[in-house]
Amino acid sequence: MEYRFQEIEKKWQHFWKINQTYRVEETSTKPPYYVLDMFPYPSGAGLHVGHPLGYIASDIFARYKKHTGFNVLHPMGYDSFGLPAEQYAIQTGQHPAKTTQENIERYREQLDKLGFNYDWSREIRTSSPAYYKWTQWIFIQLFNSWYNPKTNKAESIDALIKEFEQQGLSAASLSALHGGIETEITPFSASEWVTFTAQKQQGILMNFRLAYLGESYVNWCPALGTVLANDEVVNGLSERGGHPVERKLLKQWSMRITAYAQRLLDGLDHLDWFDSIKETQRNWIGRSEGASVHFPLLNHEGSMEVFTTRPDTLFGVSFLTLAPEHELVNQLTTDEQRAAVATYVSTSKNRSERERMADVNTISGVFTGSYATHPFTKEPIPIWIGDYVLVGYGTGAVMAVPAHDERDYKFATHFSLAIKQVIRPSAAHDFNLGAWTEKTGTIINSDFLDGLSVLEGVQRMISAIAEHGYGSKRINYRLRDAVFGRQRYWGEPIPVYFKGDTPYLIPADQLPLDLPEVDKYLPTEDGDPPLGRATHWKFNEVYEYEKSTMPGWAGSSWYFLRYLDPTNDQCLASPEKISYWGNVDLYMGGAEHATGHLLYARFWCKFLRDIGVVPFDEPFKKMINQGMILGRSSFVYRVVGQQTFVSAGMKDGYETTAIHVDISLVNNDELDLEGFKAWRSEYKDATFLLEPSGVYLCGYEVEKMSKSKYNVQTPDELVDRFGADTLRMYEMFLGPVEQSKPWDTKGITGVHGFLKKYWRLFHLNGSFEVNETTPTKDHFKILHKTIRKIREDLDRFSFNTGVSNFMICVNELTEAKGNYREILEQLTILLSPYAPHITEEIWEKLGHEPGSLYEAAYPDFNPDYLIESDYEYPVSFNGKMRFKVTLPMVLTIEEIQAAILSKPETVKWLEGKAPKKFIIVPGKIVNVVI
RNA sequence: GCGGAUGUGGUGAAAUUGGUAGACACGCUAGACUUAGGAUCUAGUGCCGAGAGGUGUGUGGGUUCGAGUCCCUCCAUCCGCACCA
């Protein structure tokens, strides 16, 4: 009887749906286990074979956990707000909700064909009001919270107001608050606070709120008409669309993620994630330890604050450099320098990020004409402006030590400024060629630091500046606050309205604030975001709502919680359900979210813990990042100026243009000539120069899958040809799940053949038949060897070797003959996570209750079946394996040695010499040293 | 420049704690069978060599009885960050 995969798969997919086989309840007494896939953005292109790679792996693992006694949650949903649907809406006038709905249906259809064990009763969509009600609710909580550095957690803003009413804000607590607070505020007393206007009070509180409206430099993309987060900008171009991005000072909603910098960094240590992702996050957070030092200004009030990681080189300072955007620039510029400074500042402001990055090596700068005083030597230090200093990092000002910093060195050489050596290098070094930047050597020319090592000097200087009140130890982070407002339509409305310039929250019981209808999805004529087009859209019919919407990452920062309780309209998820499931045990998804989604989700999780919504600090305990599946593009070669196409093997003799050709017209690099002519009208008269073998061979290249390269392989087509079970196993068989690899269907027949072979084990004589007698020892051995390997492979997420081990098992069982029920039944359970359809069919034929396979206990390994009386020893001479000898396991080392010595091969390989030494590891290896 | 990862047959890859390198599969070669199929089965297949044998995991070195695996050097490829003070 033939393996009719199409019938079988259709039958069981229908069965699972009707019987809700994969529905999950919290009532189980089994321990919970939460497996989560990064939910997809439902794009118009549908799924390609790369998408399911991670879904298949997590599905196999979820099923395995189910078989081993866990109550497994494995949900799926859609990250359904986003730019592409909106761009499409702008072009076509179609409501983004409509295209999103259509795309979701297409995704669902494709996903259903692959036999996943998702509990679809828990499906969520970030764009549905019932979902974004809670995204808005979280925003409200963030707005109503501030980060208390004393308790190191978020607390209610009301407590801060109470503190202001009773004690005001002292200079001391202001400096304690400094981490992450950008805007300058002056201390005030409790009696002053109560005299402030509501507007002024709100303005002060805005410096503390975790969701806040603040002026900051943002990445502005004129083509998209919106603000982008740093991780949405790639090489100065927008990630989506590749449009230029410039810096612009804007009043924007932001998230004070910087308050959580240290906790985000510390939390990484306990996560079971790949090192590469953890390192990328550490890098992004960019903690550096150093000191802030104040240089009193000469002839001006106040001082200039710099951040340095090398306070040990303070005596080597020969000038100070300000970022062109620094607020002191104007004040410090002397009249003689004013023209030069104005020119410089305006050129560097107009230089986009991209240009700045493009020529890192060009040195530019200008002197302000002013000086500061060195805190220790009291010497005057010139103050310069240079665009190598970034306004957003540290204090936007640096102390330049040209002798021990490469950029300062270049700047000093270029402008002929002094270079003062303060460290004697620990190795030969020529200061005429560059700076000595190593943190080794002895400090010289530095008064009380002389003779110390760099590390000692750093500590000593930090205490010295603190003692004298010149500055303090400071930890600086590269991480910036996350911009939260987008000038876009298709996103969550921010639940805020304005009285004048002051924002107020919409009461939580009035959520969700629904996305209003608009006539067009473009900005208004006055430059307002699309929401400005909504008519009669005002709070209490009076106050203007906030017109920007939330960024794409808002909804995805907490979605893992909503699956636990997707229909709750009283809270984002009930505390009972949150505490039952806990955080995600296994998270599966792409590594490209390392600094975006994964950082924001961790931030919100920590915040939700601080306010008592969740009992854990991290959202995802263990994470596996699947590799990207690349496309294999095929090319034909057209002779320039003709309709003649040369086969790849002969193209060197001609001047040709390579043209992408649809991979469905190519089989094993051979082009379907008729299909090609029919593909496009312009090729209908094409002529071909063929290989000597009479075929046209295409060239190929490995590239990202994309429509424009005609290299997209959809799963549907392969499911139709080979079945979902084959595709599932083939995707796993390709290689380690975390590795990127080009897609290639060449090997799929091997996996398909394996399933047919498995099927044949039960259909030896044409009809279904199993042997009810007790299996032989050999059969038990084959089975238990496989049980052990399959379990080990699953436990270490080695799905590719799992498939291999199934193949070996089926090959051996085919060879051994004897279709014993006891063996094949166990094998069927073992295989079911990988190939759920075929195994359900077999399970039913074996006489079990349909659908009960999902609940069956996973086979246990019994080592007794693997005990051997003999072992085939590989015998090496000087580490080279020469021959094998089968010996009883019970032999002692001496007996093994005697047995080896008595072999004729041993005499041959000794070549008349006496063995120096025998290395004998019983049950493993024999090595003879000559 | 900094950080992370990866280099093994014609191809995808395996070798979990240092112990028979290349399992499993594709491809290829030869053959069988046939209702001619994207079917099934048999044998072979790292490289050099007729064979005995030699040689072989990016390069060069080291530790070890024994190294794909551990240590050092260098090279290549990919990814992330990048004038970060």
Side-chain angles (χ1 to χ4, degrees):
Chain A
M1 199 184 149
E2 218 183 316
Y3 166 41
R4 295 210 180 89
F5 54 87
Q6 279 165 331
E7 268 169 43
I8 293 170
E9 293 181 355
K10 218 171 143 188
K11 169 181 165 187
W12 289 104
Q13 282 166 13
H14 181 73
F15 179 93
W16 295 329
K17 196 171 180 179
I18 297 301
N19 293 280
Q20 302 197 41
T21 309
Y22 302 127
R23 196 180 172 105
V24 183
E25 304 289 349
E26 286 80 10
T27 50
S28 170
T29 53
K30 293 173 179 175
Y33 196 90
Y34 188 0
V35 179
L36 182 63
D37 294 298
M38 288 185 187
F39 63 168
Y41 173 79
S43 83
L47 290 173
H48 63 64
V49 288
H51 293 103
L53 182 71
Y55 304 157
I56 295 167
S58 65
D59 192 69
I60 291 170
F61 196 77
R63 287 171 180 273
Y64 167 60
K65 279 290 178 187
K66 176 75 182 175
H67 285 300
T68 53
F70 289 86
N71 188 28
V72 177
L73 177 60
H74 188 212
M76 184 46 98
Y78 305 96
D79 187 13
S80 46
F81 270 136
L83 261 176
E86 180 158 348
Q87 297 285 59
Y88 190 73
I90 290 169
Q91 287 161 23
T92 63
Q94 260 194 39
H95 199 289
K98 185 167 179 278
T99 40
T100 301
Q101 175 63 27
E102 286 164 7
N103 292 347
I104 286 177
E105 280 165 19
R106 170 98 201 276
Y107 266 61
R108 178 63 192 275
E109 207 176 294
Q110 289 185 296
L111 289 169
D112 279 347
K113 281 190 180 175
L114 292 167
F116 294 128
N117 70 340
Y118 295 128
D119 176 358
W120 284 107
S121 71
R122 293 172 184 258
E123 182 201 301
I124 55 168
R125 302 174 184 193
T126 56
S127 61
S128 83
Y131 180 89
Y132 69 66
K133 172 181 177 177
W134 298 105
T135 312
Q136 292 172 335
W137 182 85
I138 294 171
F139 177 90
I140 288 177
Q141 309 312 308
L142 283 157
F143 183 86
N144 279 333
S145 302
W146 70 297
Y147 198 84
N148 186 340
K150 291 179 199 133
T151 57
N152 215 7
K153 58 184 274 210
E155 291 176 8
S156 164
I157 199 89
D158 294 336
L160 183 66
I161 295 170
K162 205 159 273 169
E163 197 183 306
F164 287 167
E165 285 167 352
Q166 287 164 2
Q167 299 154 37
L169 176 65
S170 69
S173 57
L174 182 60
S175 74
L177 286 171
H178 206 79
I181 291 169
E182 307 289 327
T183 322
E184 293 288 319
I185 22 176
T186 40
F188 49 82
S189 68
S191 49
E192 281 173 306
W193 170 259
V194 292
T195 64
F196 291 158
T197 60
Q199 199 189 344
K200 174 145 190 192
Q201 287 183 342
Q202 289 302 321
I204 290 168
L205 291 173
M206 199 53 96
N207 291 291
F208 295 88
R209 298 183 187 279
L210 290 179
Y212 67 97
L213 192 56
E215 199 161 77
S216 58
Y217 279 96
V218 296
N219 303 304
W220 175 256
C221 180
L224 296 173
T226 192
V227 166
L228 300 171
N230 281 336
D231 50 271
E232 290 169 320
V233 182
V234 179
N235 291 329
L237 297 174
S238 65
E239 192 186 21
R240 286 194 188 279
H243 305 290
V245 175
E246 57 194 43
R247 292 170 61 72
K248 194 173 166 184
L249 197 60
L250 263 188
K251 208 162 196 191
Q252 277 297 315
W253 284 101
S254 292
M255 286 285 162
R256 209 176 296 281
I257 189 173
T258 49
Y260 283 87
Q262 189 61 49
R263 276 169 67 186
L264 287 168
L265 193 60
D266 294 341
L268 290 172
D269 296 341
H270 312 292
L271 292 179
D272 188 1
W273 292 11
F274 293 161
D275 284 339
S276 56
I277 303 274
K278 294 209 260 185
E279 276 307 306
T280 303
Q281 289 211 351
R282 286 194 187 101
N283 210 306
W284 192 261
I285 295 167
R287 178 192 153 107
S288 56
E289 253 178 79
S292 99
V293 185
H294 291 267
F295 285 75
L297 299 174
L298 207 61
N299 304 324
H300 289 275
E301 282 292 303
S303 64
M304 188 179 138
E305 188 188 5
V306 302
F307 171 71
T308 178
T309 56
R310 295 295 302 276
D312 56 305
T313 61
L314 191 58
F315 284 98
V317 172
S318 53
F319 57 99
L320 301 170
T321 316
L322 291 172
E325 301 92 340
H326 197 281
E327 53 194 1
L328 283 176
V329 164
N330 208 24
Q331 188 193 336
L332 291 177
T333 304
T334 59
D335 290 337
E336 305 87 79
Q337 294 299 105
R338 195 156 298 276
V341 168
T343 316
Y344 183 71
V345 169
S346 81
T347 8
S348 46
K349 269 190 184 161
N350 290 334
R351 268 175 98 195
S352 65
E353 284 278 278
R354 187 175 162 74
E355 283 174 285
R356 271 209 202 182
M357 281 193 282
D359 60 11
V360 166
N361 292 319
T362 316
I363 294 138
S364 69
V366 65
F367 180 45
T368 60
S370 292
Y371 294 82
T373 314
H374 191 285
F376 288 97
T377 66
K378 308 298 176 200
E379 282 167 21
I381 310 281
I383 302 172
W384 283 69
I385 297 166
D387 70 1
Y388 77 93
V389 181
L390 307 173
V391 71
Y393 184 78
T395 60
V398 301
M399 57 175 231
V401 184
H404 305 291
D405 181 278
E406 207 51 56
R407 291 147 314 174
D408 296 346
Y409 184 92
K410 283 185 187 154
F411 197 87
T413 333
H414 191 260
F415 292 107
S416 310
L417 298 162
I419 297 174
K420 291 184 207 163
Q421 187 192 338
V422 288
I423 290 167
R424 186 164 44 237
S426 56
H429 182 75
D430 184 353
F431 279 92
N432 292 318
L433 298 176
W436 171 260
T437 57
E438 302 297 312
K439 291 183 177 174
T440 55
T442 311
I443 299 178
I444 52 170
N445 303 330
S446 297
D447 194 355
F448 57 92
L449 296 182
D450 284 354
L452 298 179
S453 71
V454 168
L455 292 180
E456 290 163 343
V458 169
Q459 294 313 315
R460 184 71 179 278
M461 184 51 99
I462 289 174
S463 358
I465 56 174
E467 264 165 49
H468 291 89
Y470 299 151
S472 58
K473 181 175 174 165
R474 174 158 167 190
I475 293 154
N476 199 52
Y477 300 92
R478 202 179 67 89
L479 185 69
R480 299 284 67 147
D481 277 348
V483 176
F484 199 68
R486 296 295 129 92
Q487 289 62 44
R488 288 269 142 192
Y489 176 75
W490 192 230
E492 300 87 346
I494 294 177
V496 159
Y497 66 92
F498 286 88
K499 284 185 188 170
D501 285 340
T502 310
Y504 289 91
L505 289 175
I506 302 217
D509 58 12
Q510 291 183 36
L511 296 180
L513 171 59
D514 285 322
L515 191 57
E517 293 301 317
V518 293
D519 58 340
K520 268 194 248 172
Y521 304 98
L522 289 168
T524 64
E525 282 68 32
D526 333 329
D528 265 347
L531 290 190
R533 295 179 175 274
T535 47
H536 309 299
W537 193 58
K538 284 187 172 159
F539 181 67
N540 288 345
E541 299 180 1
V542 181
Y543 302 110
E544 293 278 340
Y545 282 120
E546 167 62 49
K547 292 196 184 65
S548 52
T549 52
M550 299 189 195
W553 55 265
S556 60
S557 293
W558 70 280
Y559 76 110
F560 66 98
L561 292 169
R562 190 62 180 172
Y563 286 127
L564 308 183
D565 198 2
T567 54
N568 195 325
D569 62 355
Q570 298 304 306
C571 50
L572 56 83
S574 82
E576 295 75 40
K577 292 191 175 176
I578 292 175
S579 88
Y580 174 78
W581 290 108
N583 48 2
V584 175
D585 292 288
L586 175 68
Y587 198 30
M588 182 75 66
E592 68 274 15
H593 298 105
T595 53
H597 161 63
L598 289 169
L599 205 55
Y600 300 130
R602 294 183 60 221
F603 160 41
W604 279 26
C605 182
K606 285 175 194 298
F607 169 71
L608 290 173
R609 187 201 183 152
D610 287 352
I611 64 166
V613 172
V614 302
F616 39 78
D617 211 37
E618 287 287 344
F620 318 117
K621 276 187 270 203
K622 180 177 178 70
M623 181 167 61
I624 304 266
N625 304 109
Q626 87 267 18
M628 207 189 335
I629 292 200
L630 302 162
R632 192 175 185 277
S633 311
S634 288
F635 292 91
V636 292
Y637 302 93
R638 180 168 65 192
V639 178
V640 171
Q642 296 178 32
Q643 278 300 336
T644 304
F645 294 83
V646 194
S647 184
M650 296 143 68
K651 73 175 162 57
D652 289 347
Y654 302 84
E655 195 190 335
T656 59
T657 324
I659 298 170
H660 277 97
V661 61
D662 198 305
I663 53 164
S664 64
L665 299 172
V666 183
N667 191 16
N668 282 344
D669 290 339
E670 188 187 331
L671 181 69
D672 167 5
L673 301 181
E674 292 312 310
F676 178 73
K677 286 190 194 175
W679 185 39
R680 288 208 186 155
S681 56
E682 58 187 293
Y683 300 140
K684 68 177 190 299
D685 299 321
T687 54
F688 303 93
L689 294 173
L690 305 178
E691 300 287 327
S693 57
V695 299
Y696 186 97
L697 289 182
C698 296
Y700 73 92
E701 212 167 290
V702 171
E703 302 174 295
K704 242 182 162 167
M705 272 193 197
S706 97
K707 264 181 169 174
S708 64
K709 290 170 183 145
Y710 305 107
N711 62 357
V712 175
Q713 176 85 58
T714 64
D716 314 52
E717 192 192 330
L718 293 164
V719 167
D720 290 346
R721 270 166 61 188
F722 299 102
D725 285 336
T726 298
L727 181 66
R728 286 169 66 106
M729 292 195 86
Y730 181 57
E731 291 219 14
M732 292 299 99
F733 189 59
L734 281 175
V737 70
E738 68 275 11
Q739 217 167 79
S740 285
K741 49 227 153 190
W743 179 257
D744 200 331
T745 43
K746 272 186 194 159
I748 200 166
T749 53
V751 176
H752 190 62
F754 154 75
L755 285 173
K756 282 200 253 184
K757 213 164 169 179
Y758 163 76
W759 181 262
R760 233 177 289 130
L761 287 174
F762 299 86
H763 299 87
L764 284 178
N765 302 310
S767 58
F768 185 85
E769 189 187 338
V770 286
N771 183 341
E772 303 287 346
T773 62
T774 306
T776 69
K777 201 173 163 250
D778 280 347
H779 281 82
F780 274 119
K781 192 179 150 193
I782 295 169
L783 176 68
H784 280 268
K785 199 173 70 183
T786 308
I787 295 172
R788 188 183 65 191
K789 292 204 159 180
I790 294 300
R791 279 180 162 261
E792 280 170 0
D793 288 340
L794 284 167
D795 288 336
R796 63 194 172 99
F797 302 93
S798 179
F799 302 102
N800 57 327
T801 52
V803 178
S804 299
N805 284 317
F806 280 120
M807 288 172 170
I808 293 168
C809 178
V810 167
N811 288 347
E812 287 181 357
L813 287 176
T814 304
E815 181 96 359
K817 306 232 163 62
N819 46 337
Y820 298 103
R821 166 187 284 271
E822 206 175 333
I823 302 295
L824 295 182
E825 205 162 68
Q826 297 287 291
L827 172 63
T828 299
I829 305 173
L830 215 52
L831 181 61
S832 69
Y834 283 83
H837 309 87
I838 190 174
T839 49
E840 282 275 22
E841 181 71 15
I842 294 284
W843 191 249
E844 187 188 28
K845 289 187 173 204
L846 283 167
H848 296 280
E849 179 76 17
S852 65
L853 176 60
Y854 187 53
E855 307 274 346
Y858 217 55
D860 277 314
F861 168 59
N862 182 348
D864 294 346
Y865 289 112
L866 266 57
I867 292 168
E868 291 284 349
S869 52
D870 292 335
Y871 179 73
E872 191 182 38
Y873 280 92
V875 181
S876 302
F877 290 78
N878 284 343
K880 280 246 168 279
M881 207 282 287
R882 295 304 184 184
F883 61 92
K884 292 178 187 173
V885 184
T886 302
L887 296 171
M889 287 293 281
V890 292
L891 293 190
T892 64
I893 288 177
E894 290 74 24
E895 287 166 336
I896 295 171
Q897 182 171 333
I900 298 294
L901 275 172
S902 68
K903 293 284 166 190
E905 293 99 323
T906 308
V907 179
K908 175 189 163 196
W909 286 103
L910 281 174
E911 293 166 340
K913 294 171 206 150
K916 281 194 192 125
K917 201 174 171 186
F918 276 87
I919 309 287
I920 295 166
V921 185
K924 275 236 158 122
I925 197 171
V926 174
N927 189 18
V928 184
V929 188
I930 320 173

